Amino acid sequence: MKQTERGPREPLPEETWRQRGKATPEARSGESLRFSCHRPWRSWEARNREPMRLKIEELAQERSRLEEDKKLLEAQLERLTLQGDFDQSKTKVLHLSLNPASVARQRLREDWQQLQEECKHLRELVRALEAGGPVPADLEAAAGLPSSKEVAELKRQVESAELKNQRLKEVFQTKIQEFRKACYALTGYQVDITTEGQFRLTSMYAERKADCLVFKAAGPSGTKMQLLETEFSRTVPELIELHLLRQDSIPAFLSALTLDLFSRQTVA
């Protein structure tokens, strides 16, 4: 059999390749070229993704810090503005010839100096008084103390007032005793104050020293008297019933009691 010579194989048409379910050689070569172009970029992105993320976080932190510094600086500027601070290059300040603040500072300085002088004089005065010697005249004048003559005069006046007060007390006690004796001689009762608002009456005709009546001041002004029960008051129920409960008269009750006690002594 005679073999025929074959020349170079002609490429199959693209439609034939599609019918066979395969891609054309040109398509395969383009796809391989595309894969070869993308693979280096993806490897570079994978290598630099973490450093870029760290750099972004660092920049975000720096931005937050700068914002905080900005807020602090704005607050300081506002505080300085409220305190009267100003920019000398933009603001001109006019000073009054009679500045109230300067006058107040000068007055405060003078007051402070005066207080210092007074403290100095007072320390010297305390030392002089502790030593027990005479007080110098300049210290007396500085401290506003009276002179020795004035002190002696004041002592004399105090002693005279105390003596006068003592004499008044003695006269008052004498008059009180005279008044009590007069009441005892006229009414026949000795009146003693036991406690505040209570009075003890003892008749001169009482058979025993313990026989007494006790009255208590009652009412808003103490004008009314109330008889308190005692051992002696329980012995005269008839007089209490008649003169106090029915007649409502303390003087009548005391007069009747005096006559009753007087008659007992006369009969005895």
Side-chain angles (χ1 to χ4, degrees), residues 206-226:
E207 296 177 353
R208 296 177 303 174
K209 190 176 181 179
D211 293 343
C212 61
L213 299 173
V214 177
F215 288 89
K216 180 180 180 181
S221 58
T223 55
K224 291 186 177 182
M225 292 291 176
Q226 180 181 2

Side-chain angles (χ1 to χ4, degrees), residues 27-45:
R28 289 197 301 270
S29 61
E31 183 178 0
S32 61
L33 180 63
R34 185 172 65 253
F35 288 161
S36 63
C37 291
H38 284 287
R39 285 170 185 169
W41 164 253
R42 290 180 178 177
S43 61
W44 180 86
E45 181 181 6

Side-chain angles (χ1 to χ4, degrees), residues 113-128:
Q113 292 177 356
Q114 183 179 358
L115 291 175
Q116 289 292 328
E117 292 293 331
E118 292 180 358
C119 289
K120 180 180 178 181
H121 289 304
L122 289 175
R123 291 192 188 98
E124 295 177 358
L125 179 61
V126 169
R127 285 195 292 268

Side-chain angles (χ1 to χ4, degrees), residues 26 28 97 114 141 182 187 189 207 226 241 256 261:
E26 293 79 0
R28 289 197 301 270
S97 58
Q114 183 179 358
T187 63
Y189 289 95
E207 296 177 353
Q226 180 181 2
E241 176 70 23
L261 294 175

Side-chain angles (χ1 to χ4, degrees), residues 54-90:
L54 297 176
K55 185 66 176 178
I56 291 172
E57 292 179 355
E58 182 181 356
L59 292 174
Q61 293 177 359
E62 182 69 15
R63 178 172 176 272
S64 300
R65 187 183 63 79
L66 292 175
E67 288 180 352
E68 292 294 332
D69 294 343
K70 178 186 175 185
K71 292 180 180 179
L72 291 176
L73 291 174
E74 289 177 350
Q76 292 179 1
L77 179 60
E78 183 178 359
R79 185 172 62 256
L80 292 174
T81 303
L82 294 175
Q83 293 176 354
D85 197 6
F86 59 91
D87 187 358
Q88 297 183 358
S89 62
K90 298 180 181 179

Side-chain angles (χ1 to χ4, degrees), residues 129-236:
L129 292 174
E130 289 178 350
V135 180
D138 56 343
L139 293 180
E140 289 182 353
L145 296 176
S147 61
S148 301
K149 294 182 179 180
E150 293 177 350
V151 171
E153 180 64 21
L154 290 174
K155 287 183 178 179
R156 189 187 64 79
Q157 293 178 5
V158 170
E159 291 175 356
S160 177
E162 290 179 350
L163 181 59
K164 186 182 295 186
N165 189 26
Q166 183 65 27
R167 290 177 179 175
L168 288 175
K169 287 182 179 179
E170 293 176 357
V171 171
F172 188 69
Q173 290 292 335
T174 302
K175 294 299 180 182
I176 289 177
Q177 292 298 327
E178 291 179 358
F179 180 76
R180 293 184 62 188
K181 290 178 180 179
C183 291
Y184 182 71
L186 294 174
T187 63
Y189 289 95
Q190 179 180 342
V191 181
D192 298 309
I193 301 176
T194 57
T195 58
E196 185 177 359
Q198 289 191 6
F199 305 90
R200 181 178 65 238
L201 276 68
T202 305
S203 176
M204 66 172 58
Y205 302 115
E207 296 177 353
R208 296 177 303 174
K209 190 176 181 179
D211 293 343
C212 61
L213 299 173
V214 177
F215 288 89
K216 180 180 180 181
S221 58
T223 55
K224 291 186 177 182
M225 292 291 176
Q226 180 181 2
L227 177 64
L228 301 181
E229 184 179 359
T230 61
E231 184 179 355
F232 178 68
S233 66
R234 288 194 292 267
T235 62
V236 288

